[in-house]
Amino acid sequence: MAEEIDDSEFYRENFSADSDWEVFNAQLGEILQKWDCAESDVGRSLKSEEIFRCKWKVEMETLDMLKNGIEVEYHQAILEDEELTKEEITENPCLQRTNCHHDLISNENSFGPPIRSSQDLHILARIYGLRRFIVLHPVNPNLNYMKSTSEFNFFLSAVAVVSAEVQSVVPIFVQIYDPKWNFYTGVALAPGLRTNFRLIGLEKAPSECRFLMGLLTLFREKVPTSYSQAAMISVCTTYALDTMRIRMPMYVPFDRGLSSEDIVVDGEVSPLELQQFYALPHGYTPESCTEIYLVYTWPELSEHVAFDSEQRTDFVPSKAPLGKIYLSVEASSYLSCCLRDYQHVAGVTRSLESFVGRNFSGTSSGAEAGSNPLDRITEHKLTTRRDRPYELPSQAGLTKRLPGPMTESELSELLAYLFPDMHPEMALFPYAKKSFKDKFDPMRIKSAVPNSLVCRLSCLLATCHAHLGSVEGMAQVWAAFTRQLRLLWDNSLTVPGVSAGFPDTRTCLLHQKLQMLNVCVKRRVQREANSKLKSEGMVRKVSSEEEEDDEEDEGEFFDCDDLTAGSGAPTKAVLSLKPEGRLSRLNNERLLEEPEEYIYVPQTQEPVPKTEDQLQDDAEVMLKLGPGSGLTTQMMCTSLLSDMEAFKAANPRGIMEDFIRWYSPKDWEEVTDELGEVKHQLSVRMTTEGNTWQKVWEQAQAVPITRQKRLFDDTNEALKVLHYMETRKMHEIYNLTIVPLLHSSILKLIDILSNADVEDLFCSQIERLLTDLCRLSRSHSDQLPPIKPLLDDLAELERRFYQFKCFERLSGYPKKSSLRQVKLQFEEILRNENCCTIVNRRLTAAGDGTLYDVLIPKLEQDMADRLISKDYIIRLDGDTNSTEKGLYLGPQFMRAIVTGEKLRLCGAFTESTAFV
């Protein structure tokens, strides 16, 4: 039986198939060739702290290895003027040196800021100062990281083989162990050289390894060959001063209790000062603070010059050639929090009625004011009140029966802020009578005049949403606001705090709506006054005729008031040549066909005001109807027809040419005929066949404005505005008010900076905020662009202001330094990413040492306790003038980071491969 069974098939192994290691090498080699890692690697030297300030380019690829795959990342610094100059080429004759060698030896990027900036710089760039490198790590390193020696050797050997095959000169690292430990191992190849990178960490290091003398001994043991020259040392010590807190308490306008922040926080109270009142909160949260670090650096020393051991050290702040201060601020402003909270209203699609109920305006309920309906019929007209400058209407029921978190008295206080003339007993902030042209440029931000009704309402809604009842409180305020508008309209009173004139399309839509309501009120008052005067004049005329004529004769006259109401169609023209509706004579111009008669300017109806949304609706209708539609012509020529009819009534014997001479003088052209005589004629656009002007002239009848239908129905338009206000949903209210709110927030921040006399420090940030807001306010899209970037910039500006106040206190202002000195040093902090130089002994003019004199006594009291880290870098380089392969020994690099008893060693040791 045993002879019949051939079991060789069970043990046969196919050695021709590619192994996982070979497949991985092939994939990695393709990626390295794709990234051009074998290209010429000779670039210029790095500038001081350049890798910490420049932008980085990161490319990623994923390989199918292990359980979740391996991710390959290529980090490359984007440098300006990366090509070498002729001088640098002559200074670097060694062909074996690569950018990796230059970066390891260079001391320009030895120590970065102790504070991590917003740009997340990779830890390998901070440790070794490399301008480009590649990192391999599992796709999900937190769940599936490398932890066995076999895995380390698998990937490290693959990296070395692939680098040699594709002649890559870019350092390649493999991340090992838990990612939070930041352990890497890597290799970098060059012609005849190999640099091995290793990182280790000790929780409790030997005492001799925490000082320079012991580290030098360890470094010499690790160097693979002997060097004739001395090693160069770079040292950085970091001290932490006490965390500074300045308490700027919360202030919430119209709040009873919240403004008195009862939280006990260490730090001196420094309330913010403002010149102008804004209905927005300000102040900073109790957790706001600024951490202060002092960093002293010895950029380059010989190993024989410095001494540092457990018994004695030369690395003390008073001997440091370079000292810097870093400020790390964590500050949150109540203003920014309020704006971020208000942003959530953009997603609330509930209607206003769902919060305050139906008929909240009181238009449909007969018992809204709690009075007898017969009283409304017999109520005395308000026209007799207008003899006084401003008569207050009844406020009964204005704030009653509005569901919401605020009481009637609280709501009345808010309305007194919005309508101070209506609540003189409670008004604390009346509207300014002067013009705001010097503070507001409507050609920039599509908002409203600062401190106008629109800005006050926008700020009040945001504050109510954040501190006075959330969305319910905001809906309650908006409902009370619309009630107040209807009350003003019913009593023929204009809305205060709104710019005069027609709706200005350079402002926001809410401001245009209120302007339209004011125009309606003024037209209504004027119409009623004219009607009353005409009625009184006609009554006097009839009574005088009755006194002269004893016979009772029923005289028949035309009731202008009823016709002016514009409810019906235009009345037919009276077929007579009696002129009507003349305003004034047009200079000495005479009619062309009747030279003996002058041309008279007719009384015309005032232009029709329209808001931005109405103009857009008209444009869409005309676009849908097309240019040849009769309805389109009628919409465009309504005002022209009215003016032509008024002109015919004032000039019965006039022709179209006479009308053009008054209405459009540019179309009455002066020409010279063949005989040289000067004549006048209509322009080409007026004489074209089928001209709209000619058609309208033929349709026009001689009808004065007293008998014309009103072009603008003020009652109907006012009711449209009120209905528009009362039917807005919450997200629509947000869209109407967000731009004025952001504008007011920026103006409030400018006011705070101006009172602190630091507006000049942040002028560029303020200008950028205003420019971004202008772009956002004039967006042509239906949906509002995202405002998060603008809110982030606003919060950053507030954070910088808190940082300045802390730095001002740290500098000893006003006793030990002047405001000018503080501002000069803070400008350097703004330029250098939270860093300011306090001592620089390498410069002959060291600058102002005021801050250094203030900080050194604080540091010397408990220097050992304030020391948080020591950073040593030991470098050794070979003969860079050698041009033959194998004579250059390469760079040797070791970095030791000492924090208390912990030690982290980062080595990059180069060995020759010329004779291997």
Side-chain angles (χ1 to χ4, degrees):
M1 292 292 295
E3 296 178 356
E4 297 179 1
I5 299 177
D6 185 8
D7 56 353
S8 60
E9 294 290 335
F10 295 95
Y11 302 97
R12 182 175 298 172
E13 184 174 353
N14 186 7
F15 291 96
S16 63
D18 295 334
S19 64
D20 293 341
W21 186 79
E22 291 173 322
V23 172
F24 177 77
N25 288 4
Q27 293 177 347
L28 182 60
E30 291 178 0
I31 294 176
L32 296 184
Q33 290 177 344
K34 175 183 175 181
W35 288 338
D36 294 330
C37 295
E39 66 180 1
S40 177
D41 195 56
V42 179
R44 65 167 177 82
S45 301
L46 293 174
K47 300 177 183 177
S48 178
E49 298 186 357
E50 187 173 11
I51 64 170
F52 303 104
R53 304 179 187 275
C54 69
K55 296 181 179 180
W56 285 76
K57 176 184 176 182
V58 181
E59 299 182 52
M60 290 182 288
E61 294 283 349
T62 303
L63 303 180
D64 295 332
M65 284 296 296
L66 298 180
K67 298 179 181 179
N68 298 319
I70 293 294
E71 196 168 76
V72 185
E73 296 180 355
Y74 181 31
H75 298 257
Q76 185 176 13
I78 302 175
L79 307 179
E80 298 179 357
D81 302 328
E82 197 167 358
E83 295 184 0
L84 279 171
T85 61
K86 294 182 179 179
E87 291 78 7
E88 289 176 322
I89 293 176
T90 56
E91 290 176 0
N92 298 282
C94 183
L95 301 179
Q96 291 181 266
R97 297 192 76 184
T98 63
N99 278 338
C100 174
H101 299 158
H102 284 284
D103 297 343
L104 289 174
I105 294 302
S106 173
N107 60 3
E108 297 293 339
N109 292 272
S110 300
F111 310 108
I115 309 168
R116 290 293 183 94
S117 61
S118 57
Q119 178 186 357
D120 193 11
L121 185 64
H122 199 279
I123 186 67
L124 292 173
R126 296 177 63 90
I127 291 177
Y128 293 109
L130 300 174
R131 71 184 72 186
R132 62 172 183 164
F133 53 89
I134 296 174
V135 180
L136 278 68
H137 63 80
V139 173
N140 294 320
N142 294 321
L143 302 176
N144 185 30
Y145 52 84
M146 303 181 193
K147 51 189 175 181
S148 65
T149 307
S150 60
E151 289 179 313
F152 305 161
N153 295 334
F154 178 92
F155 289 103
L156 195 60
S157 60
V159 165
V161 170
V162 173
S163 297
E165 288 180 352
V166 302
Q167 297 181 351
S168 173
V169 292
V170 179
I172 304 179
F173 294 86
V174 179
Q175 187 176 29
I176 59 178
Y177 298 118
D178 197 327
K180 64 183 180 183
W181 295 348
N182 286 323
F183 282 151
Y184 296 87
T185 180
V187 64
L189 299 183
L193 296 174
R194 169 176 172 151
T195 303
N196 299 306
F197 296 88
R198 298 291 185 270
L199 279 80
I200 64 171
L202 300 176
E203 286 292 324
K204 189 172 182 180
S207 58
E208 62 272 11
C209 292
R210 299 200 294 266
F211 296 91
L212 180 60
M213 298 297 103
L215 293 173
L216 282 172
T217 303
L218 180 62
F219 177 76
R220 287 294 183 181
E221 293 176 356
K222 295 294 295 181
V223 171
T225 184
S226 60
Y227 285 75
S228 58
Q229 64 269 34
M232 303 306 295
I233 312 298
S234 299
V235 182
C236 175
T237 58
T238 304
Y239 299 85
L241 298 184
D242 295 334
T243 301
M244 180 166 291
R245 300 179 186 270
I246 297 181
R247 186 181 172 194
M248 300 182 186
M250 175 175 63
Y251 170 76
V252 179
F254 307 108
D255 175 65
R256 302 174 183 179
L258 281 179
S259 300
S260 59
E261 197 175 54
D262 295 330
I263 304 175
V264 178
V265 181
D266 294 336
E268 185 177 344
V269 177
S270 176
L272 297 176
E273 298 180 358
L274 294 95
Q275 293 181 353
Q276 181 71 41
F277 177 80
Y278 295 90
L280 287 169
H282 61 252
Y284 290 84
T285 58
E287 297 81 12
S288 301
C289 65
T290 298
E291 297 179 353
I292 306 168
Y293 300 96
L294 296 179
V295 178
Y296 294 95
T297 306
W298 290 258
E300 191 172 35
L301 297 172
S302 173
E303 64 174 315
H304 303 303
V305 173
F307 185 85
D308 178 55
S309 67
E310 192 172 3
Q311 290 77 25
R312 183 178 68 85
T313 178
D314 293 335
F315 302 120
V316 292
S318 58
K319 298 181 180 180
L322 184 64
K324 294 182 179 181
I325 183 172
Y326 289 85
L327 303 180
S328 174
V329 58
E330 292 292 337
S332 180
S333 165
Y334 290 112
L335 176 59
S336 296
C337 294
C338 175
L339 297 179
R340 294 186 188 279
D341 289 343
Y342 192 65
Q343 193 178 4
H344 299 154
V345 184
V348 181
T349 57
R350 291 177 58 184
S351 64
L352 189 62
E353 290 183 350
S354 64
F355 291 96
V356 296
R358 291 188 175 184
N359 302 328
F360 59 88
S361 61
T363 56
S364 302
S365 175
E368 180 65 26
S371 60
N372 191 342
L374 295 176
D375 295 339
R376 298 177 64 89
I377 300 176
T378 59
E379 184 181 4
H380 188 62
K381 298 289 184 179
L382 272 176
T383 52
T384 58
R385 295 183 185 177
R386 295 194 192 96
D387 297 335
R388 299 180 59 182
Y390 199 93
E391 191 73 23
L392 298 179
S394 174
Q395 303 287 320
L398 187 62
T399 58
K400 293 181 180 179
R401 291 179 297 282
L402 273 182
M406 283 178 280
T407 62
E408 181 181 346
S409 60
E410 292 173 341
L411 203 55
S412 299
E413 187 179 2
L414 302 184
L415 290 177
Y417 171 65
L418 296 176
F419 303 95
D421 295 336
M422 305 293 292
H423 305 77
E425 73 284 353
M426 303 174 63
L428 298 177
F429 308 101
Y431 289 108
K433 303 297 182 182
K434 64 177 183 178
S435 173
F436 291 92
K437 291 183 179 179
D438 56 336
K439 294 184 178 180
F440 176 63
D441 181 9
M443 295 302 294
R444 292 197 60 199
I445 301 174
K446 197 170 183 178
S447 175
V449 177
N451 200 33
S452 62
L453 175 60
V454 173
C455 292
R456 290 189 178 190
L457 175 65
S458 303
C459 297
L460 205 56
L461 291 175
T463 301
C464 291
H465 178 265
H467 300 282
L468 303 177
S470 188
V471 185
E472 290 77 10
M474 172 185 166
Q476 190 179 12
V477 172
W478 182 267
F481 169 73
T482 56
R483 268 190 178 185
Q484 187 78 53
L485 294 181
R486 187 169 287 276
L487 178 70
L488 293 173
W489 165 249
D490 291 341
N491 292 274
S492 299
L493 298 173
T494 57
V495 182
V498 179
S499 300
F502 280 16
D504 188 356
T505 55
R506 297 173 300 178
T507 60
C508 62
L509 183 58
L510 179 58
H511 186 259
Q512 296 178 44
K513 292 292 183 182
L514 297 179
Q515 283 182 310
M516 174 66 83
L517 189 59
N518 274 354
V519 171
C520 295
V521 171
K522 293 178 181 178
R523 294 279 181 94
R524 178 183 184 182
V525 171
Q526 182 181 1
R527 176 170 52 83
E528 292 177 354
N530 293 338
S531 177
K532 182 179 180 181
L533 292 176
K534 290 180 180 179
S535 300
E536 292 177 353
M538 196 158 295
V539 169
R540 285 195 299 268
K541 181 179 180 181
V542 172
S543 62
S544 62
E545 290 178 356
E546 288 179 352
E547 291 177 359
E548 294 177 359
D549 190 1
D550 295 335
E551 298 179 1
E552 294 184 0
D553 185 14
E554 294 183 0
E556 191 174 338
F557 63 93
F558 199 77
D559 190 354
C560 297
D561 186 41
D562 293 339
L563 291 173
T564 313
S567 58
T571 306
K572 292 183 179 180
V574 180
L575 299 178
S576 66
L577 297 179
K578 181 181 178 181
E580 297 180 86
R582 286 181 172 179
L583 181 63
S584 61
R585 200 168 68 181
L586 182 63
N587 301 326
N588 292 323
E589 300 291 335
R590 297 177 183 269
L591 297 176
L592 295 177
E593 295 185 353
E594 298 291 338
E596 296 180 357
E597 293 189 17
Y598 290 98
I599 298 178
Y600 287 88
V601 177
Q603 294 177 350
T604 58
Q605 297 194 48
E606 295 185 17
V608 178
K610 289 192 176 183
T611 57
E612 188 177 23
D613 57 338
Q614 291 176 326
L615 294 174
Q616 186 176 358
D617 292 341
D618 292 347
E620 291 178 357
V621 170
M622 288 189 288
L623 186 63
K624 290 179 181 179
L625 293 175
S629 174
L631 184 57
T632 303
T633 305
Q634 182 180 351
M635 292 175 60
M636 296 174 60
C637 302
T638 304
S639 179
L640 178 62
L641 178 61
S642 173
D643 294 340
M644 284 184 173
E645 290 182 341
F647 183 84
K648 284 188 174 183
N651 304 276
R653 293 182 176 84
I655 60 176
M656 181 178 174
E657 285 78 0
D658 297 323
F659 174 78
I660 295 299
R661 290 162 63 193
W662 162 65
Y663 200 82
S664 181
K666 292 183 178 180
D667 288 304
W668 186 245
E669 298 177 347
E670 180 179 313
V671 295
T672 305
D673 60 6
E674 297 177 355
L675 302 176
E677 295 181 0
V678 178
K679 295 182 179 181
H680 291 81
Q681 65 180 20
L682 292 176
S683 62
V684 177
R685 79 184 186 106
M686 291 296 175
T687 56
T688 305
E689 185 177 355
N691 187 282
T692 304
W693 290 65
Q694 294 178 357
K695 292 181 179 180
V696 177
W697 178 263
E698 294 172 359
Q699 297 174 4
Q701 304 292 328
V703 183
I705 63 169
T706 56
R707 294 200 299 272
Q708 290 181 9
K709 180 181 179 180
R710 282 186 292 166
L711 297 177
F712 179 73
D713 189 347
D714 49 70
T715 303
N716 188 31
E717 292 298 328
L719 294 178
K720 284 183 181 178
V721 172
L722 295 174
H723 178 74
Y724 178 86
M725 295 290 189
E726 294 165 353
T727 56
R728 294 303 91 192
K729 296 182 179 180
M730 301 310 297
H731 71 281
E732 294 173 335
I733 296 175
Y734 167 84
N735 291 334
L736 288 173
T737 56
I738 184 61
V739 173
L741 171 63
L742 294 174
H743 189 200
S744 301
S745 302
I746 297 175
L747 293 179
K748 176 166 185 173
L749 193 53
I750 292 175
D751 193 2
I752 294 175
L753 298 177
S754 178
N755 277 284
D757 197 18
V758 293
E759 186 178 355
D760 54 331
L761 285 176
F762 306 101
C763 57
S764 60
Q765 292 93 323
I766 293 173
E767 188 66 25
R768 184 168 60 251
L769 281 174
L770 294 174
T771 303
D772 293 343
L773 181 58
C774 176
R775 188 183 304 109
L776 183 145
S777 66
R778 298 187 176 276
S779 174
H780 297 290
S781 59
D782 296 335
Q783 294 183 351
L784 193 70
I787 65 171
K788 186 179 181 302
L790 184 64
L791 294 180
D792 293 340
D793 292 341
L794 188 66
E796 175 64 18
L797 182 56
E798 291 188 284
R799 192 183 69 85
R800 286 293 190 179
F801 175 70
Y802 185 87
Q803 186 182 36
F804 172 81
K805 299 300 290 185
C806 293
F807 184 73
E808 184 183 57
R809 185 74 53 80
L810 180 67
S811 302
Y813 174 81
K815 296 181 180 180
K816 298 182 180 180
S817 61
S818 64
L819 183 61
R820 178 179 173 274
Q821 293 173 330
V822 175
K823 291 168 69 173
L824 285 175
Q825 290 177 322
F826 193 76
E827 284 180 354
E828 184 181 352
I829 291 177
L830 294 177
R831 289 193 307 267
N832 299 334
E833 298 184 359
N834 306 311
C835 169
C836 172
T837 301
I838 56 177
V839 56
N840 192 345
R841 303 186 189 278
R842 294 184 298 179
L843 301 178
T844 54
D848 187 13
T850 304
L851 188 58
Y852 177 78
D853 297 336
V854 171
L855 296 177
I856 282 298
K858 297 180 181 180
L859 193 61
E860 290 180 347
Q861 294 175 1
D862 46 0
M863 184 184 304
D865 296 334
R866 296 186 181 275
L867 179 64
I868 59 174
S869 71
K870 295 186 296 181
D871 204 341
Y872 301 93
I873 296 180
I874 307 174
R875 295 184 177 91
L876 195 57
D877 197 11
D879 184 10
T880 59
N881 295 323
S882 59
T883 57
E884 296 183 13
K885 184 177 179 181
L887 297 181
Y888 176 60
L889 300 179
Q892 311 296 335
F893 175 97
M894 190 180 78
R895 186 185 199 120
I897 305 173
V898 181
T899 54
E901 294 184 348
K902 296 181 180 180
L903 174 65
R904 187 179 186 86
L905 291 176
C906 314
F909 297 97
T910 306
E911 59 186 5
S912 176
T913 60
F915 303 105
V916 175

